[in-house]
Coordinates of all heavy atoms in Angstrom, one line a residue:
M238 N 5.9 -15.2 27.8 CA 6.8 -15.0 26.7 C 6.4 -15.9 25.5 O 6.4 -15.5 24.4 CB 8.2 -15.1 27.1 CG 9.2 -14.6 26.0 SD 9.2 -12.9 25.9 CE 10.9 -12.6 25.6
E239 N 6.2 -17.2 25.9 CA 5.9 -18.2 24.8 C 4.7 -17.8 24.0 O 4.6 -18.0 22.8 CB 5.8 -19.5 25.5 CG 5.8 -20.7 24.5 CD 5.8 -22.0 25.2 OE1 6.7 -22.2 26.0 OE2 5.0 -22.8 24.8
S240 N 3.6 -17.3 24.7 CA 2.4 -16.9 24.0 C 2.7 -15.8 23.0 O 2.0 -15.7 22.0 CB 1.3 -16.6 25.0 OG 1.6 -15.4 25.7
N241 N 3.6 -14.8 23.4 CA 4.0 -13.8 22.4 C 4.6 -14.3 21.2 O 4.3 -13.9 20.1 CB 4.9 -12.8 23.1 CG 4.2 -11.8 24.0 OD1 2.9 -11.8 24.1 ND2 4.9 -11.1 24.8
Q242 N 5.5 -15.3 21.4 CA 6.1 -15.9 20.2 C 5.1 -16.7 19.3 O 5.2 -16.6 18.1 CB 7.2 -16.9 20.7 CG 8.4 -16.2 21.2 CD 9.5 -17.2 21.7 OE1 9.2 -18.3 22.0 NE2 10.7 -16.7 21.9
Q243 N 4.2 -17.4 20.0 CA 3.1 -18.1 19.2 C 2.3 -17.1 18.5 O 2.0 -17.3 17.3 CB 2.3 -18.9 20.2 CG 2.3 -20.3 19.9 CD 1.4 -21.1 21.0 OE1 0.8 -20.5 21.9 NE2 1.4 -22.3 20.8
G244 N 1.9 -16.0 19.1 CA 1.1 -14.9 18.5 C 1.9 -14.3 17.3 O 1.3 -14.0 16.3
D245 N 3.2 -14.1 17.5 CA 4.0 -13.5 16.4 C 4.1 -14.5 15.2 O 4.0 -14.1 14.1 CB 5.4 -13.3 17.0 CG 6.3 -12.5 16.0 OD1 5.9 -11.5 15.4 OD2 7.5 -13.0 15.8
M246 N 4.2 -15.8 15.5 CA 4.3 -16.8 14.4 C 3.0 -16.8 13.7 O 2.9 -16.9 12.5 CB 4.7 -18.1 15.0 CG 6.1 -18.2 15.5 SD 6.7 -19.8 16.0 CE 6.5 -20.7 14.6
Q247 N 1.9 -16.7 14.5 CA 0.5 -16.8 13.8 C 0.3 -15.5 13.0 O -0.2 -15.6 11.9 CB -0.6 -16.9 14.9 CG -2.0 -17.0 14.3 CD -2.1 -18.2 13.4 OE1 -1.8 -19.3 13.9 NE2 -2.6 -18.0 12.2
T248 N 0.8 -14.4 13.5 CA 0.7 -13.1 12.7 C 1.4 -13.2 11.4 O 0.9 -12.9 10.3 CB 1.2 -11.9 13.5 OG1 0.4 -11.8 14.7 CG2 1.2 -10.6 12.7
K249 N 2.7 -13.8 11.5 CA 3.5 -13.9 10.3 C 2.8 -14.9 9.3 O 2.8 -14.6 8.1 CB 4.9 -14.4 10.6 CG 5.7 -13.4 11.3 CD 7.1 -14.0 11.7 CE 7.9 -12.9 12.4 NZ 9.2 -13.5 12.8
E250 N 2.2 -16.0 9.8 CA 1.5 -16.9 8.9 C 0.3 -16.2 8.3 O 0.0 -16.4 7.1 CB 1.1 -18.2 9.7 CG 0.5 -19.2 8.8 CD 1.3 -19.7 7.6 OE1 2.5 -19.7 7.7 OE2 0.7 -19.9 6.6
N251 N -0.4 -15.4 9.0 CA -1.6 -14.7 8.5 C -1.1 -13.8 7.4 O -1.8 -13.7 6.3 CB -2.3 -13.9 9.6 CG -3.1 -14.8 10.5 OD1 -3.3 -16.0 10.3 ND2 -3.5 -14.2 11.6
I252 N 0.0 -13.1 7.6 CA 0.5 -12.1 6.6 C 0.9 -12.9 5.3 O 0.5 -12.5 4.2 CB 1.7 -11.3 7.1 CG1 1.2 -10.4 8.3 CG2 2.4 -10.5 6.0 CD1 2.4 -9.9 9.1
R253 N 1.7 -14.0 5.5 CA 2.1 -14.8 4.3 C 0.9 -15.3 3.6 O 0.8 -15.2 2.3 CB 2.9 -16.0 4.8 CG 4.3 -15.6 5.3 CD 5.1 -16.9 5.6 NE 5.9 -16.7 6.7 CZ 5.7 -17.2 7.9 NH1 4.7 -17.9 8.2 NH2 6.6 -16.9 8.9
Q254 N -0.1 -15.8 4.3 CA -1.3 -16.4 3.6 C -2.1 -15.3 2.9 O -2.5 -15.5 1.7 CB -2.2 -17.1 4.7 CG -3.3 -17.8 4.1 CD -4.1 -18.6 5.2 OE1 -4.1 -18.2 6.3 NE2 -4.6 -19.7 4.8
Y255 N -2.3 -14.2 3.5 CA -3.0 -13.1 2.9 C -2.3 -12.6 1.6 O -2.9 -12.5 0.5 CB -3.2 -11.9 3.8 CG -3.8 -10.7 3.1 CD1 -5.2 -10.7 3.0 CD2 -3.1 -9.7 2.5 CE1 -5.8 -9.7 2.3 CE2 -3.7 -8.7 1.8 CZ -5.1 -8.7 1.7 OH -5.7 -7.7 1.0
I256 N -1.0 -12.4 1.6 CA -0.3 -12.0 0.5 C -0.3 -13.0 -0.6 O -0.6 -12.7 -1.8 CB 1.2 -11.6 0.8 CG1 1.2 -10.3 1.7 CG2 2.0 -11.3 -0.4 CD1 2.5 -10.0 2.3
A257 N -0.1 -14.3 -0.3 CA -0.1 -15.4 -1.3 C -1.4 -15.4 -2.0 O -1.5 -15.5 -3.2 CB 0.2 -16.7 -0.6
Q258 N -2.5 -15.4 -1.2 CA -3.8 -15.6 -1.8 C -4.4 -14.4 -2.5 O -5.1 -14.4 -3.5 CB -4.8 -16.1 -0.7 CG -4.5 -17.5 -0.2 CD -5.4 -17.9 0.9 OE1 -6.1 -17.1 1.5 NE2 -5.3 -19.2 1.3
N259 N -4.2 -13.2 -1.9 CA -4.9 -12.0 -2.3 C -4.1 -11.0 -3.2 O -4.6 -10.2 -3.8 CB -5.5 -11.2 -1.1 CG -6.5 -12.1 -0.4 OD1 -7.6 -12.2 -0.8 ND2 -6.1 -12.6 0.7
I260 N -2.7 -11.1 -3.1 CA -1.9 -10.2 -3.9 C -1.1 -11.0 -4.9 O -1.1 -10.6 -6.1 CB -0.9 -9.4 -2.9 CG1 -1.8 -8.5 -2.0 CG2 0.1 -8.7 -3.7 CD1 -1.0 -7.7 -1.0
L261 N -0.6 -12.2 -4.6 CA 0.2 -13.0 -5.5 C -0.8 -14.0 -6.3 O -0.4 -14.6 -7.3 CB 1.3 -13.8 -4.8 CG 2.3 -12.9 -4.2 CD1 3.3 -13.8 -3.4 CD2 3.1 -12.1 -5.2
F262 N -2.0 -14.1 -5.8 CA -3.0 -15.1 -6.3 C -2.3 -16.5 -6.5 O -2.4 -17.1 -7.6 CB -3.5 -14.6 -7.7 CG -4.2 -13.2 -7.5 CD1 -3.6 -12.1 -8.0 CD2 -5.4 -13.1 -6.8 CE1 -4.1 -10.8 -7.8 CE2 -6.0 -11.8 -6.7 CZ -5.4 -10.7 -7.2
S263 N -1.7 -16.9 -5.5 CA -1.0 -18.2 -5.5 C -1.6 -19.2 -4.5 O -1.9 -18.8 -3.4 CB 0.5 -18.0 -5.1 OG 1.1 -19.2 -4.9
D264 N -1.8 -20.4 -5.0 CA -2.2 -21.4 -4.0 C -1.0 -22.3 -3.6 O -1.1 -23.3 -2.9 CB -3.3 -22.3 -4.6 CG -2.8 -23.0 -5.9 OD1 -1.7 -22.8 -6.4 OD2 -3.6 -23.7 -6.5
Q265 N 0.2 -21.8 -3.9 CA 1.5 -22.4 -3.5 C 2.1 -21.8 -2.3 O 3.2 -22.2 -1.9 CB 2.5 -22.3 -4.7 CG 2.0 -22.9 -6.0 CD 1.7 -24.4 -5.9 OE1 2.5 -25.2 -5.4 NE2 0.5 -24.8 -6.4
G266 N 1.4 -20.9 -1.7 CA 1.9 -20.2 -0.5 C 2.8 -19.1 -0.8 O 3.0 -18.7 -1.9
F267 N 3.4 -18.6 0.3 CA 4.4 -17.4 0.2 C 5.8 -18.0 0.1 O 6.3 -18.5 1.1 CB 4.1 -16.5 1.4 CG 4.9 -15.3 1.4 CD1 4.5 -14.2 0.6 CD2 6.1 -15.1 2.1 CE1 5.2 -13.0 0.6 CE2 6.8 -14.0 2.1 CZ 6.4 -12.9 1.4
S268 N 6.4 -17.9 -1.0 CA 7.7 -18.6 -1.2 C 8.9 -17.7 -0.9 O 10.1 -18.1 -1.1 CB 7.8 -19.1 -2.6 OG 7.7 -18.0 -3.5
Y269 N 8.7 -16.5 -0.3 CA 9.8 -15.6 0.0 C 10.2 -15.7 1.4 O 9.5 -16.1 2.3 CB 9.4 -14.2 -0.3 CG 9.0 -13.9 -1.8 CD1 7.7 -14.1 -2.2 CD2 10.0 -13.5 -2.7 CE1 7.4 -13.9 -3.6 CE2 9.7 -13.3 -4.0 CZ 8.4 -13.5 -4.4 OH 8.1 -13.3 -5.7
D270 N 11.5 -15.3 1.7 CA 12.0 -15.2 3.1 C 11.2 -14.1 3.8 O 10.7 -13.1 3.2 CB 13.4 -14.8 3.0 CG 14.1 -14.8 4.4 OD1 14.4 -15.9 4.9 OD2 14.3 -13.7 4.9
D271 N 11.0 -14.2 5.1 CA 10.3 -13.3 5.9 C 10.9 -11.9 6.0 O 10.3 -10.9 6.4 CB 10.1 -13.8 7.4 CG 9.0 -14.9 7.4 OD1 8.3 -15.1 6.4 OD2 8.9 -15.5 8.5
D272 N 12.2 -11.8 5.6 CA 12.9 -10.5 5.5 C 12.9 -9.9 4.1 O 13.4 -8.8 3.9 CB 14.3 -10.6 6.0 CG 14.3 -10.7 7.6 OD1 13.6 -10.0 8.2 OD2 15.1 -11.5 8.1
A273 N 12.3 -10.6 3.1 CA 12.3 -10.2 1.7 C 11.5 -8.9 1.6 O 10.4 -8.8 2.1 CB 11.7 -11.2 0.8
S274 N 12.1 -7.9 1.0 CA 11.4 -6.6 0.8 C 10.2 -6.8 -0.2 O 10.4 -7.2 -1.3 CB 12.4 -5.6 0.2 OG 11.7 -4.4 -0.2
F275 N 9.0 -6.4 0.3 CA 7.9 -6.5 -0.6 C 8.0 -5.6 -1.9 O 7.6 -6.0 -2.9 CB 6.6 -6.0 0.1 CG 6.2 -6.9 1.3 CD1 5.5 -6.3 2.3 CD2 6.5 -8.2 1.4 CE1 5.1 -7.1 3.4 CE2 6.0 -9.0 2.4 CZ 5.3 -8.4 3.5
L276 N 8.7 -4.5 -1.7 CA 8.8 -3.6 -2.8 C 10.0 -4.0 -3.7 O 9.9 -4.0 -5.0 CB 8.9 -2.1 -2.4 CG 7.7 -1.6 -1.6 CD1 8.0 -0.3 -0.9 CD2 6.5 -1.5 -2.4
E277 N 11.2 -4.2 -3.1 CA 12.3 -4.5 -3.9 C 12.2 -5.9 -4.7 O 12.7 -6.0 -5.8 CB 13.6 -4.6 -3.1 CG 14.0 -3.2 -2.6 CD 15.2 -3.2 -1.6 OE1 15.8 -4.3 -1.5 OE2 15.4 -2.2 -0.9
Q278 N 11.5 -6.8 -4.1 CA 11.3 -8.1 -4.7 C 10.0 -8.1 -5.6 O 9.6 -9.1 -6.2 CB 11.1 -9.2 -3.7 CG 12.3 -9.4 -2.8 CD 13.5 -10.0 -3.6 OE1 13.3 -10.9 -4.4 NE2 14.7 -9.5 -3.3
A279 N 9.4 -6.9 -5.8 CA 8.1 -6.8 -6.6 C 7.0 -7.8 -6.1 O 6.3 -8.3 -6.9 CB 8.5 -7.0 -8.0
I280 N 7.0 -8.0 -4.8 CA 5.9 -8.8 -4.2 C 4.6 -8.1 -4.2 O 3.6 -8.6 -4.5 CB 6.3 -9.3 -2.8 CG1 7.6 -10.1 -2.9 CG2 5.2 -10.1 -2.2 CD1 8.2 -10.4 -1.5
I281 N 4.7 -6.8 -3.9 CA 3.5 -5.9 -4.0 C 3.8 -4.7 -4.7 O 4.9 -4.2 -4.8 CB 2.9 -5.6 -2.6 CG1 3.9 -4.8 -1.8 CG2 2.5 -6.9 -1.8 CD1 3.3 -4.2 -0.5
D282 N 2.7 -4.1 -5.3 CA 2.8 -2.8 -5.9 C 2.1 -1.8 -5.1 O 1.6 -2.1 -4.0 CB 2.3 -2.8 -7.4 CG 0.9 -3.3 -7.5 OD1 0.2 -3.3 -6.4 OD2 0.4 -3.6 -8.6
S283 N 1.8 -0.6 -5.6 CA 1.2 0.4 -4.8 C -0.3 0.0 -4.4 O -0.7 0.3 -3.3 CB 1.2 1.8 -5.5 OG 0.6 1.7 -6.7
V284 N -1.0 -0.6 -5.3 CA -2.3 -1.1 -5.0 C -2.3 -2.2 -4.0 O -3.1 -2.2 -3.0 CB -3.0 -1.5 -6.3 CG1 -4.4 -2.2 -6.0 CG2 -3.2 -0.4 -7.3
G285 N -1.3 -3.1 -4.1 CA -1.2 -4.2 -3.2 C -0.8 -3.6 -1.8 O -1.3 -4.2 -0.8
F286 N 0.0 -2.6 -1.8 CA 0.3 -1.9 -0.5 C -0.9 -1.4 0.2 O -1.1 -1.7 1.4 CB 1.3 -0.8 -0.8 CG 1.8 -0.1 0.5 CD1 2.8 -0.6 1.2 CD2 1.2 1.1 0.9 CE1 3.3 0.0 2.4 CE2 1.6 1.7 2.1 CZ 2.7 1.2 2.8
M287 N -1.8 -0.8 -0.5 CA -3.0 -0.2 0.1 C -3.9 -1.4 0.5 O -4.6 -1.3 1.6 CB -3.7 0.7 -0.8 CG -2.9 2.0 -1.1 SD -2.1 2.8 0.4 CE -3.5 3.3 1.3
E288 N -4.0 -2.5 -0.2 CA -4.7 -3.7 0.2 C -4.2 -4.2 1.4 O -4.9 -4.7 2.3 CB -4.7 -4.7 -1.0 CG -5.5 -4.3 -2.2 CD -5.4 -5.3 -3.3 OE1 -4.8 -6.4 -3.1 OE2 -6.0 -5.0 -4.4
L289 N -2.9 -4.3 1.5 CA -2.2 -4.8 2.7 C -2.5 -3.9 4.0 O -2.8 -4.5 5.0 CB -0.7 -4.9 2.5 CG 0.1 -5.6 3.6 CD1 -0.3 -7.1 3.7 CD2 1.6 -5.6 3.2
V290 N -2.5 -2.6 3.8 CA -2.9 -1.7 4.9 C -4.3 -2.0 5.3 O -4.6 -2.1 6.5 CB -2.7 -0.3 4.5 CG1 -3.3 0.7 5.5 CG2 -1.2 0.0 4.2
A291 N -5.2 -2.1 4.4 CA -6.6 -2.4 4.7 C -6.8 -3.7 5.4 O -7.5 -3.8 6.4 CB -7.5 -2.4 3.4
F292 N -6.1 -4.7 5.0 CA -6.1 -6.0 5.7 C -5.6 -5.9 7.1 O -6.2 -6.4 8.0 CB -5.2 -7.0 4.9 CG -4.8 -8.2 5.7 CD1 -5.7 -9.3 5.9 CD2 -3.5 -8.3 6.2 CE1 -5.3 -10.4 6.7 CE2 -3.1 -9.5 6.9 CZ -4.0 -10.5 7.2
V293 N -4.5 -5.2 7.3 CA -4.0 -5.0 8.7 C -5.0 -4.3 9.6 O -5.2 -4.8 10.7 CB -2.6 -4.3 8.7 CG1 -2.2 -3.8 10.0 CG2 -1.6 -5.1 8.0
Q294 N -5.6 -3.3 9.1 CA -6.6 -2.5 9.9 C -7.8 -3.4 10.2 O -8.2 -3.4 11.4 CB -7.0 -1.3 9.1 CG -5.9 -0.2 9.0 CD -6.4 1.1 8.4 OE1 -6.2 2.1 9.0 NE2 -6.9 1.0 7.2
K295 N -8.3 -4.1 9.3 CA -9.5 -5.0 9.5 C -9.1 -6.2 10.3 O -9.8 -6.5 11.3 CB -10.1 -5.4 8.2 CG -11.3 -6.2 8.3 CD -11.9 -6.6 7.0 CE -13.2 -7.4 7.2 NZ -13.7 -8.0 5.9
E296 N -8.1 -6.9 10.0 CA -7.8 -8.2 10.6 C -7.3 -8.0 12.1 O -7.7 -8.8 12.9 CB -6.7 -8.9 9.8 CG -6.2 -10.2 10.4 CD -7.2 -11.4 10.1 OE1 -8.1 -11.2 9.3 OE2 -7.0 -12.4 10.8
Y297 N -6.6 -6.9 12.3 CA -6.0 -6.7 13.7 C -6.7 -5.6 14.4 O -6.3 -5.3 15.5 CB -4.5 -6.5 13.6 CG -3.9 -7.8 13.0 CD1 -3.6 -7.9 11.7 CD2 -3.6 -8.9 13.8 CE1 -3.0 -9.1 11.2 CE2 -3.1 -10.1 13.3 CZ -2.8 -10.2 12.0 OH -2.3 -11.3 11.5
D298 N -7.7 -5.0 13.8 CA -8.5 -3.9 14.5 C -7.6 -2.8 15.0 O -7.6 -2.4 16.2 CB -9.4 -4.5 15.6 CG -10.4 -3.5 16.1 OD1 -10.8 -2.7 15.3 OD2 -10.8 -3.6 17.3
I299 N -6.7 -2.4 14.1 CA -5.8 -1.3 14.5 C -5.9 -0.2 13.5 O -6.2 -0.4 12.3 CB -4.3 -1.7 14.6 CG1 -3.8 -2.3 13.3 CG2 -4.1 -2.7 15.8 CD1 -2.3 -2.7 13.3
E300 N -5.7 1.0 13.9 CA -5.7 2.2 13.1 C -4.3 2.5 12.6 O -3.4 2.6 13.4 CB -6.3 3.4 13.8 CG -6.5 4.6 12.9 CD -7.5 4.4 11.8 OE1 -8.5 3.7 12.1 OE2 -7.4 4.9 10.7
V301 N -4.1 2.6 11.3 CA -2.8 2.9 10.7 C -2.8 4.4 10.3 O -3.6 4.8 9.4 CB -2.5 2.0 9.5 CG1 -1.2 2.4 8.9 CG2 -2.5 0.5 9.9
G302 N -2.0 5.2 10.9 CA -1.9 6.6 10.6 C -1.1 6.9 9.4 O -0.2 6.0 9.1
P303 N -1.3 8.0 8.7 CA -0.5 8.3 7.5 C 1.0 8.3 7.8 O 1.7 7.9 6.9 CB -1.0 9.7 7.1 CG -2.3 9.9 7.9 CD -2.3 9.0 9.1
Q304 N 1.4 8.7 8.9 CA 2.8 8.8 9.2 C 3.4 7.4 9.5 O 4.6 7.2 9.5 CB 3.1 9.7 10.5 CG 2.6 9.1 11.8 CD 1.1 9.3 12.1 OE1 0.4 9.7 11.2 NE2 0.7 8.9 13.3
E305 N 2.6 6.4 9.6 CA 3.0 5.0 9.8 C 3.1 4.2 8.5 O 3.6 3.0 8.5 CB 2.0 4.3 10.8 CG 2.0 4.9 12.1 CD 0.9 4.4 13.0 OE1 -0.2 4.1 12.5 OE2 1.2 4.2 14.2
L306 N 2.7 4.8 7.4 CA 2.8 4.1 6.1 C 4.2 4.2 5.5 O 4.4 4.9 4.5 CB 1.8 4.7 5.1 CG 0.3 4.6 5.6 CD1 -0.6 5.4 4.6 CD2 -0.1 3.1 5.6
V307 N 5.1 3.6 6.2 CA 6.5 3.6 5.8 C 7.1 2.2 5.6 O 6.5 1.3 6.1 CB 7.4 4.4 6.8 CG1 6.9 5.9 6.8 CG2 7.3 3.8 8.2
R308 N 8.2 2.1 4.9 CA 8.8 0.8 4.6 C 9.2 0.1 5.9 O 9.2 -1.1 6.0 CB 10.0 1.0 3.7 CG 9.6 1.4 2.3 CD 10.8 1.5 1.4 NE 11.3 0.2 1.0 CZ 12.1 0.0 0.0 NH1 12.5 1.0 -0.8 NH2 12.5 -1.2 -0.3
D309 N 9.6 0.9 6.9 CA 10.0 0.3 8.2 C 8.9 -0.5 8.8 O 9.1 -1.4 9.6 CB 10.5 1.3 9.2 CG 11.9 1.8 8.9 OD1 12.6 1.1 8.1 OD2 12.3 2.8 9.5
N310 N 7.7 -0.2 8.5 CA 6.5 -0.9 9.0 C 5.9 -1.9 8.1 O 5.3 -2.9 8.6 CB 5.4 0.1 9.4 CG 5.8 1.0 10.5 OD1 6.7 0.7 11.3 ND2 5.2 2.2 10.6
F311 N 6.0 -1.7 6.8 CA 5.2 -2.5 5.8 C 6.0 -3.2 4.7 O 5.4 -3.6 3.7 CB 4.1 -1.6 5.2 CG 3.0 -1.4 6.1 CD1 2.9 -0.3 6.9 CD2 1.8 -2.2 6.0 CE1 1.8 -0.1 7.8 CE2 0.7 -2.0 6.8 CZ 0.7 -0.9 7.7
D312 N 7.3 -3.3 4.9 CA 8.1 -3.8 3.7 C 8.6 -5.2 3.8 O 9.4 -5.7 2.9 CB 9.3 -2.9 3.4 CG 9.8 -3.1 2.0 OD1 9.1 -3.4 1.1 OD2 11.1 -3.0 1.9
S313 N 8.2 -6.0 4.8 CA 8.5 -7.4 4.8 C 7.6 -8.1 5.8 O 6.9 -7.4 6.6 CB 10.0 -7.7 5.3 OG 10.1 -7.4 6.6
V314 N 7.5 -9.4 5.8 CA 6.7 -10.1 6.8 C 7.1 -9.8 8.2 O 6.3 -9.4 9.1 CB 6.7 -11.6 6.5 CG1 6.1 -12.4 7.7 CG2 6.1 -12.0 5.2
N315 N 8.5 -9.8 8.4 CA 9.0 -9.5 9.8 C 8.7 -8.1 10.2 O 8.3 -7.9 11.4 CB 10.5 -9.8 9.9 CG 10.8 -11.3 9.9 OD1 10.0 -12.1 10.4 ND2 11.9 -11.7 9.5
K316 N 8.9 -7.1 9.3 CA 8.6 -5.7 9.7 C 7.2 -5.5 10.0 O 6.8 -4.8 11.0 CB 9.1 -4.8 8.6 CG 10.6 -4.7 8.5 CD 11.0 -3.8 7.3 CE 12.5 -3.6 7.2 NZ 12.9 -2.8 6.1
L317 N 6.3 -6.1 9.2 CA 4.9 -5.9 9.4 C 4.4 -6.6 10.7 O 3.6 -6.0 11.4 CB 4.1 -6.5 8.2 CG 2.6 -6.2 8.2 CD1 2.2 -4.8 8.5 CD2 2.0 -6.7 6.9
A318 N 4.9 -7.8 11.0 CA 4.6 -8.5 12.2 C 5.0 -7.7 13.4 O 4.3 -7.6 14.4 CB 5.2 -9.9 12.2
R319 N 6.2 -7.1 13.4 CA 6.7 -6.2 14.5 C 5.8 -5.0 14.6 O 5.4 -4.6 15.8 CB 8.1 -5.7 14.2 CG 9.2 -6.8 14.7 CD 10.6 -6.1 14.7 NE 11.0 -5.6 13.4 CZ 11.7 -6.4 12.5 NH1 11.9 -7.6 12.8 NH2 12.0 -5.8 11.4
Y320 N 5.4 -4.4 13.5 CA 4.5 -3.2 13.6 C 3.2 -3.6 14.2 O 2.7 -2.9 15.1 CB 4.3 -2.7 12.1 CG 3.2 -1.6 12.1 CD1 3.5 -0.3 12.6 CD2 2.0 -1.9 11.5 CE1 2.5 0.6 12.6 CE2 1.0 -0.9 11.5 CZ 1.3 0.3 12.0 OH 0.3 1.3 12.0
I321 N 2.6 -4.7 13.8 CA 1.3 -5.1 14.3 C 1.4 -5.4 15.8 O 0.6 -4.9 16.6 CB 0.8 -6.4 13.6 CG1 0.4 -6.0 12.2 CG2 -0.4 -7.0 14.3 CD1 0.2 -7.2 11.2
A322 N 2.5 -6.0 16.2 CA 2.7 -6.3 17.7 C 2.8 -5.0 18.4 O 2.3 -4.9 19.6 CB 3.9 -7.2 17.9
S323 N 3.5 -4.0 17.9 CA 3.7 -2.7 18.6 C 2.4 -2.0 18.7 O 2.2 -1.3 19.7 CB 4.7 -1.9 17.8 OG 4.2 -1.3 16.7
K324 N 1.5 -2.1 17.7 CA 0.2 -1.5 17.8 C -0.7 -2.2 18.8 O -1.6 -1.6 19.4 CB -0.5 -1.4 16.4 CG 0.3 -0.5 15.4 CD 0.2 0.9 15.8 CE -1.1 1.5 15.4 NZ -1.2 2.9 15.5
Q325 N -0.6 -3.5 18.9 CA -1.4 -4.3 19.8 C -1.0 -4.2 21.2 O -1.8 -4.3 22.1 CB -1.5 -5.7 19.4 CG -2.2 -6.0 18.1 CD -2.2 -7.4 17.6 OE1 -1.2 -8.1 17.8 NE2 -3.3 -7.8 17.0
N326 N 0.3 -3.9 21.5 CA 0.8 -3.8 22.8 C 1.7 -2.6 22.9 O 2.9 -2.8 23.1 CB 1.5 -5.1 23.2 CG 1.8 -5.2 24.6 OD1 1.5 -4.4 25.4 ND2 2.5 -6.3 25.0
P327 N 1.2 -1.4 22.9 CA 2.1 -0.2 22.9 C 2.9 -0.1 24.2 O 4.0 0.5 24.2 CB 1.1 1.0 22.7 CG -0.2 0.4 23.0 CD -0.2 -1.1 22.8
A328 N 2.4 -0.6 25.3 CA 3.1 -0.5 26.6 C 4.5 -1.3 26.5 O 5.4 -0.8 27.1 CB 2.3 -1.0 27.7
A329 N 4.5 -2.4 25.8 CA 5.7 -3.2 25.7 C 6.8 -2.4 25.0 O 8.0 -2.6 25.3 CB 5.4 -4.5 25.0
N330 N 6.4 -1.5 24.0 CA 7.4 -0.8 23.3 C 7.9 0.4 24.0 O 9.0 1.0 23.8 CB 6.8 -0.4 21.9 CG 6.6 -1.6 21.0 OD1 7.5 -2.5 21.1 ND2 5.6 -1.6 20.3
A331 N 7.1 0.9 25.0 CA 7.5 2.1 25.8 C 8.6 1.7 26.8 O 9.3 2.6 27.3 CB 6.3 2.7 26.4
A332 N 8.6 0.5 27.2 CA 9.6 0.1 28.2 C 11.0 0.0 27.7 O 11.3 -0.1 26.6 CB 9.2 -1.3 28.8

């Protein structure tokens, strides 16, 4: 269980770092809460959303289907980390 938490924390840090550097163009890090809505807080726009999808696919070697491009999966650090975990370990979600 501990390794899952470590992996989750690393995933969240990777997401924060990617958004800060590649979408916000900030060297100050990601200054928002992990539950902050990317869209409502204007953290990303539609182009940034597609960049984030491409990052997730490449970084985590997962396929994102069109039906998965929803706010429940991509609208905060926490939501995105949960989505990535579910794609990496689908058996855990079926239980």
Side-chain angles (χ1 to χ4, degrees):
M238 188 75 139
E239 194 172 308
S240 65
N241 283 349
Q242 288 177 343
Q243 240 178 1
D245 187 49
M246 290 182 65
Q247 184 60 50
T248 297
K249 289 179 184 182
E250 183 55 34
N251 288 348
I252 294 166
R253 286 186 217 104
Q254 186 175 32
Y255 176 81
I256 292 172
Q258 292 175 348
N259 298 284
I260 295 176
L261 300 175
F262 303 106
S263 169
D264 57 1
Q265 304 299 310
F267 186 79
S268 61
Y269 298 89
D270 184 78
D271 285 350
D272 285 318
S274 167
F275 294 153
L276 299 171
E277 290 174 15
Q278 298 291 319
I280 297 168
I281 64 171
D282 58 12
S283 57
V284 173
F286 182 83
M287 296 315 295
E288 290 175 6
L289 188 59
V290 171
F292 162 75
V293 167
Q294 291 185 123
K295 182 178 179 188
E296 181 75 14
Y297 297 97
D298 194 28
I299 59 177
E300 187 63 35
V301 178
Q304 71 280 8
E305 297 171 320
L306 298 173
V307 295
R308 290 180 78 159
D309 282 347
N310 294 337
F311 282 87
D312 197 35
S313 72
V314 170
N315 283 333
K316 288 179 180 180
L317 186 51
R319 276 193 300 271
Y320 170 73
I321 291 167
S323 75
K324 294 293 280 187
Q325 290 179 324
N326 191 5
N330 291 322

